[in-house]
Each structure stands twice: as structure tokens, then as C-alpha cells.
Amino acid sequence: MKYAVIDIGSNSVRLLLWADGHTVSKEKETTRLGEGLSATQRLQETAIERTVRAIEIFKVKAERFGAIKIFAFATAAARRAQNGGELIARIREKCKIETEIIDGETEARIGLLGALNGQDGGIIDVGGASTEITVARQGQAVFSASLDIGAVRIKDVCGGDREETEKYIAKMLRPLQGVPKAVMTGIGGTATSLAALEYAVEPYDAAKINGKTVSLQAIESWADRLLAMTREERIALKGMDRSREDILGGGALLLASIVSRIGASEIFVSDSDNLEGYLAEKLKGGRL
């Protein structure tokens, strides 16, 4: 059986093609749906157009792949925008795909499912407009938090100013308390992009990312370097995702701040994430 899942995030739209119990491929289009959302509380028309166009392309690829069902879900940008319903209506009209806007609790849960597949541990998912931290024991979530901060939002609010970024992160992390001790896994573009830089993985290869560890010291070091570099210097780095170079420094600083705050010394990194988790819930109620 073949399936496709489309994740409509605040920074990018991603496609999962799945067949016979495993991931066949993943790809993404960076559309910056959440760009400008912090200032206007609305999705910008150009961002909606970019996003819908990417979904149209992914629908064609899913159909050529032979997917018997295309699932689609949208995350923080769509759920926080005053006109999030407009995006869903446009997708329905242009792409003939029904899209679910998921809440922060669901986003955290499916990220946990995708990365750990029922095993004990925790995840940190630094997204474009939100960040989820979840810990599970014996198959049940014992802690879950969704914070209104992400890599795109940091750029929108702070630009590239290091001092402002630090103040903003500190403010937004104040509610984060009581995270249980656990082996933590980083999922999402910030974590996987930092792992690609740390291990100089180019071109990106999920098989070379899954299970890698990145220390808190390394995350802090990358945050310092990236925030001090010019665009040209960042792009020249081996392993750099060019579509993320302008937001990765802020995302790295946020990830480092969370890892430090919860008392961890390192994270594992997983390319499997909420795409796999969403499919797991739809197909079998929690496990692939």
C-alpha cells in the first residue's frame, strides 16, 4: 500500500511518500508561510500562493507515485493566523485536498510517534513558528508543551540581532518548567540541519543523520558561528541547507537554550518526525 503525507509548516511544505511499511522518500519546498505573521497576525497572500503552488506540485508527485490516499496537515502558522481558514479553503479549491489544522498538543504527539515509535524518551521540535517539547514513558506522554516561538518567528521579531534574539528566547522560554529527565531527540529542520553541519553531510542524506548525537556545546558553538557570519559565509559551509541559512542561527540558539534549560548535555537527531507520526495515527492509531 502506498500513501503520501503533506506537512504544511511555517517555513516549508514537506512531502512523505510511504510504501509497504517504510519511507520511500521525503522532499520539501521552502515557502515561508509564517513570514510576517508576528507583525500582522495574518498569512500573507504571496506566502499562501507559494504554499498552494508547492502542494499542487506535491499532489502530482504523490499521484505519479501511486498513493492511494494523500493526507495533509498544517501546523503553527495556519492555526495562529486570523486567516488560516482561507489557506485551507484555497488548498481545497486548487488541489482538491482536505487539510487538517492540528493543535500544538497533536503536533507534539505525532512528532513523538514519528521519532520514537512508541519507545520511551523525549523530543524537541524547533519549527518555524512553534516549538514542541514532549516526553513519553511506557507509551504515554508524561509531559508536553508547545511554545509560540520558532526559527522563522525569531527572524521576524529580532532580525539578525544577537542581543535581541537572546532576550526574546529567554522571554518565550519562561513557561517551560518541569520537563522530566529523558533521552532527548531533536526533530525538524533546525535539528537535522545542525546535524548536517556538524557531520558535514552534503548532499543531505537522512541515513547519515538518523541516530547522530549533537552535544549542547556543539549546538551553542554553531549558534555563535552562524549568528556572526554573513550570508555568503553561511552558504559556503559544507552541509548548509541554503533555504534555511537565514533562520538557522536563531533556531540553533533556541535549541541550545532549551537543551540547557532542561539539563541535557546532548541530543540524538532523527529525520523521522511528525510526517511518519501523522501517518501512524491515521493508519494504525499510533504505530507504523
Side-chain angles (χ1 to χ4, degrees):
M1 304 289 275
K2 295 181 178 181
Y3 296 92
V5 186
I6 297 173
D7 166 19
I8 304 159
S10 306
N11 183 59
S12 59
V13 178
R14 300 186 301 143
L15 172 68
L16 166 70
L17 299 180
W18 179 273
D20 302 324
H22 67 276
T23 297
V24 174
S25 66
K26 281 184 175 180
E27 60 181 291
K28 72 170 183 176
E29 289 285 340
T30 299
T31 64
R32 294 284 167 94
L33 179 63
E35 195 168 54
L37 180 61
S38 296
T40 66
Q41 307 307 310
R42 295 180 61 83
L43 303 175
Q44 306 304 301
E45 176 61 28
T46 53
I48 291 175
E49 289 176 356
R50 291 193 300 266
T51 299
V52 172
R53 188 159 52 246
I55 295 168
E56 288 179 302
I57 293 169
F58 283 166
K59 180 186 179 183
V60 171
K61 292 186 176 184
E63 289 174 340
R64 287 177 179 169
F65 172 68
I68 63 171
K69 174 73 175 177
I70 302 173
F71 297 101
F73 66 93
T75 55
R79 70 175 172 255
R80 291 195 172 90
Q82 294 173 358
N83 60 337
E86 180 182 334
L87 170 69
I88 303 306
R90 193 85 63 88
I91 296 169
R92 183 183 300 117
E93 175 189 354
K94 295 286 187 180
C95 309
K96 304 298 186 285
I97 294 175
E98 291 299 325
T99 303
E100 178 184 10
I101 298 179
I102 62 173
D103 58 26
E105 180 181 346
T106 300
E107 188 172 0
R109 184 178 69 250
I110 63 175
L112 192 73
L113 285 173
L116 303 184
N117 201 21
Q119 298 178 9
D120 286 357
I123 57 122
I124 303 170
D125 182 3
V126 174
S130 71
T131 295
E132 282 68 44
I133 302 100
T134 314
V135 176
R137 290 176 181 159
Q138 298 181 338
Q140 298 294 323
V142 296
F143 178 89
S144 185
S146 181
L147 306 174
D148 293 338
I149 184 172
V152 176
R153 189 178 291 262
I154 289 171
K155 180 177 180 289
D156 281 350
V157 174
C158 307
D161 187 283
R162 172 65 183 257
E163 184 176 351
E164 288 302 313
T165 299
E166 289 178 342
K167 290 179 181 178
Y168 181 58
I169 290 172
K171 173 186 173 183
M172 299 305 290
L173 291 189
R174 283 174 194 158
L176 183 62
Q177 298 179 3
V179 182
K181 292 289 185 182
V183 175
M184 302 301 292
T185 297
I187 65 173
T190 293
T192 57
S193 294
L194 286 171
L197 287 175
E198 179 69 4
Y199 291 94
V201 177
E202 188 176 301
Y204 184 85
D205 184 344
K208 295 179 180 179
I209 295 298
N210 277 320
K212 293 293 189 183
T213 59
V214 183
S215 68
L216 172 59
Q217 183 179 11
I219 301 170
E220 291 173 335
S221 176
W222 278 115
D224 290 341
R225 291 177 62 186
L226 292 167
L227 288 169
M229 285 178 168
T230 65
R231 178 178 183 274
E232 291 72 21
E233 289 171 334
R234 290 191 295 267
I235 288 175
L237 292 169
K238 187 173 183 179
M240 172 57 74
D241 179 350
R242 293 192 173 198
S243 69
R244 193 176 289 274
E245 59 80 19
D246 62 331
I247 62 171
L248 188 54
L253 190 58
L254 172 58
L255 180 58
S257 300
I258 294 169
V259 173
S260 175
R261 190 180 184 91
I262 66 179
S265 60
E266 65 180 12
I267 59 169
F268 289 86
V269 178
S270 173
D271 185 80
S272 297
D273 52 28
N274 54 12
L275 280 164
E276 287 87 353
Y278 191 82
L279 185 60
E281 286 210 334
K282 291 299 181 182
L283 296 185
K284 298 182 180 178
R287 194 176 282 233
L288 288 170

